[in-house]
Every structure is written in structure tokens, then in C-alpha cells.
Amino acid sequence: MDFFRGLYIIPWSKNYISISLDVLIVAFLIYKTYTTLRRTRGIQLLFGVGIIWISGSLAEYLGFELLEWILTNIRPALVFAIIVLLQPELRRLTGDLARIRLLRLFFLKPTFDLDPIVEAVRAMSQEKIGSIIVLVKDISLKDISENAVPMDSIVTSEILQTIFFKNSPLHDGAVIIEQNRIVCAASYLPMSSSVEISTLGARHRSALGLSEETDSIIIVTSEETGDITICYEGEMIHPVKPLELKALVSGLMSGNKKVKDESQRKAKDKDSGVII
């Protein structure tokens, strides 16, 4: 209630530019928070926190002293509960902010030789070998790669296929490629908490989870069907035809959203409105 009372003492007659920028920035942060959390379980937690907060204000207004005392003592703990329970969503939100075009000027432009990667993916798709290949763009994955098997190897089709060979000790987990080097293998990615993909396997959920938190491009081949899937910016493009793979990845690498939108449209037409 104090916030709404404070609106009356804002000097609206002074410094309209500062006030307008303040309102726009807050509105943008609220919008980004909502769009990030709307498909996750985090939105339910925020609704619960909002109900408790509003109930406390109503209890104060209506004079319910006992209820007000209980809710007043609970409120400080809600901040810590949000931080602890919404860690994946908070990482995703900061990742979304890092994708702003203006901020990308401060990042080193990623370079990739896509030919060996595309060749390996096509071969594994044909042989129905399950794989996850992560192409790092602007947001570093150092915290994930540190817990994987380090490699620091050149990128070749033979190495990638050897890593994901069924009897290889490194075939579980993902390969991370950064600046045209294989950084590590057998890395485990954060699972997506989206309620819409609960029927997917661990490989696809991991790929989608990383795409929700970073700007990486994740290429997945299915062990069951051999289909190729690309996860990018929290969305799945499925299935991707082997002949279209290089052009699609190149477009996503350059930030061309038209390529992604066109691929999703084709996938929807093929699957009657369902991307995956």
C-alpha cells in the first residue's frame, strides 16, 4: 500500500523525461520477466507470492491484526524463497537480457566451420545415433564445461561421431564447441522446466533447457528416429532436413530470425500445427 501512496508525492510537474524513462524501464523488466516465466512453474510461485502480498495489504486495511501479523512476518522470507526456488528462471532472465543487440557489441564474434559439424550430424542421423552438439555464441558456458570432460580439440566429423558412438564412454551428455574448438564432452545440461514438453526425452529436454538460459544453438539427433532437432532461444525446430541443416544453423548464427521463423512454419505445416 505504501507504494501506491507514494505515487501521489512524485513530482510529476518536474523532469518528465526521467519519469518516463523510469516507467519504461520498469515496464520492460516486468514484460521480460513475464515472457520468461509464463511457460514455467515459476509463474505459479510468483502468483502465490502476489496473493500473500496482496492479502497482507488487505489485512492491514481491514484491521485483521492477527492475519496481518502472520503475513508481515512471512513477507521477508518470500524474497529468499524467490531467489532459491527460481534459480533456473533467473538465469534464463539474465540470459534474455544479454541477448539485447546493443549488448552484443561487447562480445567476441563466434566463428565456426560448420562443414564437419553438419557432416557428423547427417551421418549420426542416418545411423540413428543420439547426440547433442552445443554451439556457443555470446554467452559463456564455462560453469557447465568445467564439470565435463575437457578436450580442447579441433572439430572434425570423425571425432564427433567417435564421441557419440554407442559404446563410447563419452556418448552420454553433450559436446560443447566454442570458437571452432571442441571444449569438452559428456557435459550435462540444465533440464527445461516447461510444462509443455514433459513428454520429451532427457536429450531434448536438456537441449531446450540450455536454449532457454543462453543464446547457444543446440543440435540434437534422436536415437529412436534419427530426426534432427535444433533448439534456439527457448524454442524447438523439428524436424530439420539434413540438406537444410547448414543454411539454418548459419542463419541462426548470424542472428537472422527470418530463417528460424520460416523453418518453424514449415515444421508446423508438416506436423499439422505441432512443432515437436
Side-chain angles (χ1 to χ4, degrees):
M1 297 296 289
D2 293 336
F3 169 76
F4 295 104
R5 295 193 190 103
L7 293 179
Y8 292 102
I9 62 174
I10 293 178
W12 293 101
S13 59
K14 301 179 181 179
N15 202 355
Y16 287 105
I17 296 178
S18 177
I19 294 174
S20 300
L21 286 176
D22 188 14
V23 172
L24 288 175
I25 291 172
V26 172
F28 173 76
L29 291 176
I30 293 175
Y31 169 76
K32 291 299 295 183
T33 302
Y34 172 74
T35 55
T36 301
L37 300 180
R38 62 180 178 177
R39 295 182 180 180
T40 68
R41 296 181 180 90
I43 194 66
Q44 300 174 0
L45 176 62
L46 286 184
F47 277 137
V49 171
I51 291 174
I52 294 175
W53 212 273
I54 294 173
S55 299
S57 299
L58 289 175
E60 178 184 358
Y61 178 76
L62 297 174
F64 297 162
E65 296 183 2
L66 179 59
L67 181 59
E68 178 188 352
W69 180 83
I70 294 174
L71 295 178
T72 300
N73 286 275
I74 290 177
R75 279 176 174 178
L78 295 179
V79 177
F80 297 99
I82 292 174
I83 295 175
V84 173
L85 298 177
L86 294 184
Q87 284 187 14
E89 287 78 9
L90 291 174
R91 289 198 303 268
R92 190 178 311 153
L93 179 61
T94 53
D96 288 343
L97 294 176
R99 293 176 188 148
I100 298 174
R101 290 184 178 272
L102 182 61
L103 298 180
R104 292 182 180 180
L105 298 175
F106 301 96
F107 294 103
L108 181 65
K109 186 176 181 181
T111 58
F112 291 95
D113 180 10
L114 294 179
D115 288 334
I117 299 173
V118 170
E119 181 183 347
V121 172
R122 289 175 178 174
M124 290 187 290
S125 173
Q126 187 175 3
E127 297 295 328
K128 293 185 179 180
I129 298 175
S131 67
I132 309 179
I133 299 176
V134 180
L135 306 181
V136 180
K137 292 184 67 179
D138 297 329
I139 301 176
S140 174
L141 300 182
K142 186 177 181 180
D143 57 331
I144 296 177
S145 59
E146 285 179 343
N147 297 316
V149 178
M151 291 192 64
D152 191 23
S153 166
I154 61 173
V155 181
T156 68
S157 174
E158 292 77 14
I159 291 178
L160 290 174
Q161 293 183 63
T162 301
I163 291 173
F164 290 109
F165 184 70
K166 188 174 182 179
N167 295 323
S168 166
L170 300 178
H171 79 281
D172 284 332
V175 162
I176 296 179
I177 301 176
E178 185 173 4
Q179 294 298 329
N180 214 34
R181 301 283 295 183
I182 299 178
V183 177
C184 63
S187 59
Y188 292 92
L189 311 180
M191 289 278 190
S192 173
S193 58
S194 175
V195 296
E196 298 179 359
I197 50 91
S198 57
T199 58
L200 297 180
R203 190 173 281 116
H204 289 82
R205 291 179 62 189
S206 297
L208 185 62
L210 184 64
S211 73
E212 291 172 344
E213 299 183 12
T214 71
D215 62 348
S216 297
I217 300 171
I218 304 96
I219 307 173
V220 183
T221 57
S222 172
E223 190 174 1
E224 289 76 21
T225 64
D227 288 345
I228 302 172
T229 301
I230 291 181
C231 296
Y232 182 62
E233 292 188 340
E235 297 180 356
M236 279 187 168
I237 305 173
H238 172 91
V240 177
K241 295 181 180 179
L243 295 178
E244 299 175 348
L245 179 61
K246 182 177 181 180
L248 177 56
V249 174
S250 297
L252 296 177
M253 194 64 63
S254 63
N256 187 355
K257 290 191 175 183
K258 291 183 179 180
V259 175
K260 182 181 73 171
D261 296 339
E262 179 65 19
S263 299
Q264 288 178 328
R265 185 189 62 79
K266 291 180 180 179
K268 288 180 180 180
D269 292 342
K270 182 175 181 179
D271 294 342
S272 300
V274 179
I275 297 178
I276 186 164

